[in-house]
Amino acid sequence: MDQCLFCRIVNKELEATIVYEDDEVMAFEDIRPQAPVHILFIPKKHIRAMAHLAEEDARLMAHLFTTITEFAAQKDELDAGYRVVVNNGNDGGQTVDHLHLHLLGGRRMGWPPG
Ligand code: 5GP
Ligand code: ZN
């Protein structure tokens, strides 16, 4: 996926403030933060969207979620809670076609979301 923005970040062709990385996942700061903490967690494997997840991705997704919980547990700003968001498709507000989980925190979140 040569042209995919987040694949280019994975391949270090585009700069990002990377806060976590292992063989399968990467986390970096969102370029337009919507909260004091706004980190994007992605699988390194190109998956277009949540709607494109397959059963074979189950272990990878479990790893992605536990990576978030372990990261959040170490961040004092997130002691009072946080939100994890996946936007899927146009109406879901997805703007980058590489599956990503938003970790948002450091302030009280509103509900319902916009
Ligand atoms: P979506 O709207 O698809 O759920 O989220 C895409 C997110 O990626 C947005 O919050 C946007 O600010 C972020 N983003 C877009 N381009 C870049 C980029 O080049 N670098 C980083 N770090 N974040 C980006
Ligand atoms: Zn990609």
Side-chain angles (χ1 to χ4, degrees):
M1 277 290 152
D2 295 349
Q3 300 310 314
C4 169
L5 191 66
F6 288 174
C7 281
R8 291 178 65 204
I9 289 176
V10 168
N11 295 330
K12 312 269 165 80
E13 294 162 13
L14 254 186
E15 263 191 50
T17 305
I18 296 166
V19 296
Y20 177 82
E21 181 176 12
D22 65 27
D23 287 349
E24 292 181 305
V25 310
M26 185 184 267
F28 51 89
E29 288 179 3
D30 196 293
I31 206 167
R32 280 183 293 276
Q34 303 300 317
V37 177
H38 189 173
I39 312 274
L40 301 174
F41 287 76
I42 67 169
K44 286 188 168 179
K45 169 185 169 183
H46 181 84
I47 298 172
R48 257 184 70 186
M50 188 160 165
H52 290 254
L53 280 172
E55 190 60 39
E56 66 187 31
D57 300 316
R59 197 195 50 78
L60 173 61
M61 291 309 292
H63 178 52
L64 201 49
F65 272 94
T66 53
T67 300
I68 294 174
T69 52
E70 283 165 18
F71 179 90
Q74 288 170 18
K75 236 182 165 16
D76 292 348
E77 285 165 281
L78 301 179
D79 280 354
Y82 53 85
R83 182 172 290 172
V84 176
V85 172
V86 180
N87 296 325
N88 182 78
N90 268 347
D91 277 4
Q94 183 175 6
T95 58
V96 177
D97 288 340
H98 181 130
L99 178 64
H100 48 281
L101 280 65
H102 297 257
L103 170 63
L104 296 149
R107 67 167 168 82
R108 187 70 186 260
M109 297 293 149
W111 194 266

